[in-house]
Amino acid sequence: MKKLGTIIVLSGPSGVGKSTLVGRVRQAMPELGFSISCTTRKPRPGEQHGVHYYFLEPEEFERRVAAGEFVEHAQVFANRYGTLKCEVLDQIRRGSSVVLDIDVQGAMQIRAAAANDPELARATVFVFIGPPSVAVLERRLRGRASDSEEQIRLRLEGARRELACWNKYDYLVINDDLDVAAEEMTGLFRSFALRTAAIPEDLFHE
Ligand code: 5GP
């Protein structure tokens, strides 16, 4: 049976532990695909082009926007980010599921695009990762010693804006205890292979 892979659109505010959780799920599900985004931000120490992001100059990013190469793109803080169609569509057509770690603006663009695109509508699910409370999130953000007070204030403001959108998603995972959240998320992602929307309509034809 030829299944369509699932596009797992994953969002959550800065400081919620998204990267750590995604790392845990990757260990448990090595078959899961990940979309490498394009960004105009500069690489942080240890980040590699083509592994963590495709790091592009702003002009190259704009050229790709104009060429219609992105499923979605958005400005997050001072930088541009975008998901390439080719990163996602080839994988799901081959039957692999793919995770998109993107912000709320980008996720909502994909929701809107899916309203006019039946393949995208069949393929996408929306998962939000939340903190146990705003106070806990603030404590976690302040725990990152590398950030200045101004950076913390900006991140908190952004986090509050993102948190307000949790109910626009299909699923909510709360990252209180990391082990519990990782287990919940792995179980959730595994269940996506059983979605009827992913199964060809002619399944039971004679
Ligand atoms: P960072 O610069 O810390 O890697 O990511 C900052 C934010 O940008 C995160 O919330 C991340 O989810 C979001 N982001 C990363 N890639 C994309 C993308 O392709 N599209 C959108 N809309 N957001 C992205």
Side-chain angles (χ1 to χ4, degrees):
M1 179 181 33
K2 182 86 183 71
K3 283 193 182 179
L4 183 69
T6 302
I7 301 172
I8 305 170
V9 179
L10 189 66
S11 306
S14 175
V16 81
K18 201 165 39 159
S19 326
T20 314
L21 269 174
V22 163
R24 289 286 194 98
V25 175
R26 283 186 100 147
Q27 276 175 4
M29 298 176 72
E31 72 282 11
L32 204 59
F34 280 80
S35 158
I36 302 171
S37 294
C38 294
T39 182
T40 60
R41 109 159 142 65
K42 299 282 172 259
R44 296 188 186 121
E47 284 185 333
Q48 283 174 284
H49 180 79
V51 177
H52 300 92
Y53 282 103
Y54 299 112
F55 295 99
L56 305 182
E57 292 301 322
E59 300 72 33
E60 174 64 6
F61 193 97
E62 289 315 318
R63 193 193 62 71
R64 287 172 182 247
V65 171
E69 292 183 25
F70 291 115
V71 196
E72 62 73 36
H73 57 89
Q75 174 122 1
V76 184
F77 300 112
N79 300 300
R80 308 264 277 147
Y81 294 83
T83 307
L84 291 169
K85 285 181 185 163
C86 63
E87 281 285 319
V88 176
L89 299 179
D90 298 348
Q91 295 198 62
I92 61 155
R93 287 176 187 157
R94 281 201 305 270
S96 306
S97 291
V98 48
V99 176
L100 273 57
D101 170 352
I102 65 177
D103 82 321
V104 170
Q105 305 168 70
M108 292 305 112
Q109 281 178 41
I110 294 183
R111 260 245 198 271
N116 302 309
D117 180 335
E119 186 189 36
L120 204 55
R122 273 176 63 203
T124 40
V125 296
F126 295 83
V127 181
F128 193 89
I129 305 177
S133 69
V134 177
V136 169
L137 186 67
E138 180 162 356
R139 220 176 304 137
R140 286 182 192 166
L141 280 171
R142 287 189 182 282
R144 291 182 181 179
S146 58
D147 289 346
S148 68
E149 186 58 35
E150 174 63 8
Q151 270 174 327
I152 292 171
R153 198 186 57 74
L154 277 174
R155 281 184 194 281
L156 259 173
E157 216 176 272
R160 287 209 174 86
R161 249 196 327 270
E162 294 236 315
L163 280 180
C165 299
W166 70 271
N167 60 354
K168 298 196 169 94
Y169 287 69
D170 304 321
Y171 300 90
L172 173 68
V173 174
I174 299 284
N175 186 15
D176 187 358
D177 179 297
L178 180 66
D179 290 332
V180 173
E183 204 168 302
E184 280 180 2
M185 209 155 100
T186 307
L188 178 64
F189 285 15
R190 288 210 168 107
S191 77
F192 293 150
L194 309 178
R195 294 184 315 121
T196 55
I199 296 167
E201 280 180 14
D202 60 0
L203 176 65
F204 291 120
H205 285 193
E206 296 286 319

